[in-house]
Amino acid sequence: MPKARGRPGRNKGSLRHKLLQLKISAKVAQPEGGRNGAKGETQASDDDVSSEVLSHYSSTSETASVPEEVNDTVNEQMAQEEAENKLKECIDNTMHKSAKTRQNALESLKLAFSSKILSEFLVERRLTLTDCLERCLKKGKSEEQALAAVVATLLCIQLGSSKEAEDVFQALKSILINILTDKSASLAARHNCATALGTCCYVAANEEEDLASCLTCLESVFSASYIKGDGSVPSHNSQTQILHCNALQSWSLLVTICPPSKIQKFLENHMPKLPGLLCSDNVSLRIAAGETIALLFELARRADQDYFYEDTGQLCETLKALATDGNKHRAKNDRRKQRSIFRDVLHSIEVVLLDAPLKAGSFIVDAN
């Protein structure tokens, strides 16, 4: 706690009173007054406003003589201690016998971790929290597993690219992979584990083997939506399609931190198949596929200035159709979102193509 600047003398009382009066006058003069914050309620009395301001101060001379800065600091520290105590209680409750209590605790942690930076607090308690999350993922049911995966994601983000985050990732990676690839697990839990695996690996992984294993796992999930070898389109329900979408988005995120030497393999394995996902009946999966194609184009050009995709013409036609889609059978919001994103996807690919050398037969002509 910062040192107090000393207790002022009694002659400061009149100065404080004048200061309070100035605050009261300024508050009454505001165009949008009223204690309830509603517009136009400017008729609050001086007594009401004065009471509101003065209620923050004690009527005793001792309290009146304490500097505002000290009061603010004390109040802030008290609020922080109270919040930390609540967080400690939530962490403890993730080990409670009651499933409902555990879920409520995870919900509270999720809200706290996504609302405020708590890295210092979490570094000291990462081992306990990691053990709690591991237990929730292993022994919990659908909703508890889904919440634990989200909290694990936020925990790694809070810790950042650090040894502590890497320890959390190493402890939870195999569990996340097991749930993600377990077809008997709930789809809600698998959705969040797909996102958690990609995000935690992106933030915390420090070994190339970890990156490779996560990429392989995610590929095995979303590739189930690829058109089959006989040309038939796989049939999946909407929740499974969301799972494939989350896995594809996580895979795309991890591709951005792969060495350039790996990009060629990704292009060979996925560029012939990804355009097929643009015809999916799930808007999120269509969009994820389009964004991934644009990303691979960009990474390909960075790795190889002479990269050329044979079916560029057909791909651009498909993207143009999606960017101007007026299909009334699709929801209005879906059409609007799809058109906006695919305009950007098409533009990004066209920019890459403009910078690329033209290919005529077996000859490459540099347009620049």
Side-chain angles (χ1 to χ4, degrees):
M1 182 185 300
K3 285 187 177 181
R5 296 183 180 178
R7 294 173 61 88
R10 297 290 183 182
N11 59 345
K12 295 294 185 181
S14 59
L15 179 60
R16 175 170 294 279
H17 181 73
K18 291 180 181 179
L19 179 60
L20 292 175
Q21 290 299 320
L22 287 174
K23 288 184 178 179
I24 293 168
S25 301
K27 197 159 189 176
V28 173
Q30 288 177 354
E32 295 183 11
R35 296 178 64 181
N36 60 2
K39 283 189 175 181
E41 294 183 5
T42 59
Q43 305 301 318
S45 68
D46 286 355
D47 289 342
D48 288 338
V49 179
S50 176
S51 176
E52 182 180 349
V53 176
L54 293 174
S55 65
H56 295 291
Y57 300 93
S58 170
S59 59
T60 63
S61 61
E62 288 80 10
T63 304
S65 65
V66 177
E68 286 186 41
E69 293 84 351
V70 175
N71 280 339
D72 291 343
T73 300
V74 170
N75 291 337
E76 183 178 345
Q77 289 182 345
M78 289 177 63
Q80 182 174 343
E81 289 176 4
E82 182 180 357
E84 289 184 355
N85 287 334
K86 288 181 179 179
L87 284 175
K88 292 175 186 176
E89 183 179 354
C90 287
I91 293 173
D92 291 340
N93 283 342
T94 59
M95 303 290 281
H96 199 278
K97 291 182 178 181
S98 166
K100 188 62 177 176
T101 300
R102 295 196 301 271
Q103 289 174 21
N104 290 339
L106 290 168
E107 282 281 10
S108 297
L109 292 175
K110 171 185 169 183
L111 178 62
F113 291 1
S114 59
S115 303
K116 187 177 181 180
I117 296 175
L118 300 163
S119 50
E120 291 185 9
F121 172 84
L122 293 174
V123 163
E124 298 175 0
R125 295 163 181 83
R126 69 189 185 283
L127 297 178
T128 300
L129 187 52
T130 302
D131 289 341
C132 295
L133 293 174
E134 184 175 351
R135 180 185 176 88
C136 291
L137 287 167
K138 281 183 175 180
K139 300 184 179 298
K141 301 299 182 183
S142 171
E143 187 176 351
E144 185 175 338
Q145 288 180 318
L147 284 169
V150 175
V151 174
T153 304
L154 294 171
L155 175 59
C156 278
I157 292 173
Q158 285 274 356
L159 295 175
S161 297
S162 63
K163 181 63 170 64
E164 292 78 11
E166 184 182 1
D167 291 341
V168 173
F169 172 64
Q170 290 295 341
L172 301 180
K173 183 187 76 167
S174 61
I175 306 173
L176 294 173
I177 289 176
N178 288 340
I179 297 174
L180 176 57
T181 56
D182 182 3
K183 294 183 179 180
S184 66
S186 78
L187 283 169
R190 296 177 73 194
H191 292 169
N192 290 353
C193 284
T195 300
L197 185 65
T199 307
C200 294
C201 182
Y202 180 84
V203 171
N206 198 36
E207 299 295 335
E208 190 172 333
E209 292 78 7
D210 291 327
L211 178 59
S213 64
C214 290
L215 284 165
T216 300
C217 174
L218 293 165
E219 277 184 33
S220 70
V221 175
F222 72 77
S223 60
S225 276
Y226 281 160
I227 294 176
K228 298 178 181 179
D230 59 2
S232 61
V233 178
S235 177
H236 299 293
N237 61 44
S238 61
Q239 291 301 306
T240 301
Q241 289 174 324
I242 293 173
L243 169 64
H244 295 173
C245 176
N246 288 3
L248 179 57
Q249 289 173 328
S250 287
W251 182 84
S252 299
L253 178 66
L254 296 183
V255 166
T256 63
I257 58 175
C258 288
S261 59
K262 301 288 186 182
I263 301 302
Q264 184 59 39
K265 182 180 178 182
F266 296 146
L267 294 169
E268 293 172 357
N269 291 343
H270 296 285
M271 276 308 295
K273 302 173 184 177
L274 277 169
L277 297 183
L278 298 175
C279 300
S280 169
D281 59 0
N282 183 281
V283 64
S284 297
L285 188 55
R286 290 197 301 273
I287 288 172
E291 291 174 334
T292 302
I293 290 170
L295 171 65
L296 289 178
F297 258 82
E298 176 64 26
L299 295 176
R301 290 287 290 139
R302 291 184 187 179
D304 179 8
Q305 289 293 316
D306 295 332
Y307 173 72
F308 180 80
Y309 178 58
E310 296 289 345
D311 295 326
T312 298
Q314 179 60 47
L315 174 62
C316 288
E317 288 300 317
T318 302
L319 293 174
K320 286 177 184 177
L322 291 168
T324 57
D325 187 10
N327 191 334
K328 299 297 183 181
H329 295 292
R330 305 194 201 278
K332 186 175 181 180
N333 288 338
D334 287 351
R335 294 200 307 271
R336 185 185 299 114
K337 180 180 179 182
Q338 175 181 287
R339 287 196 296 264
S340 174
I341 291 177
F342 275 102
R343 281 195 294 268
D344 292 339
V345 169
L346 179 61
H347 175 70
S348 68
I349 290 178
E350 287 176 338
V351 167
V352 171
L353 293 176
L354 286 174
D355 291 337
L358 302 177
K359 188 172 183 179
S362 59
F363 297 97
I364 296 177
V365 182
D366 191 345
N368 297 320

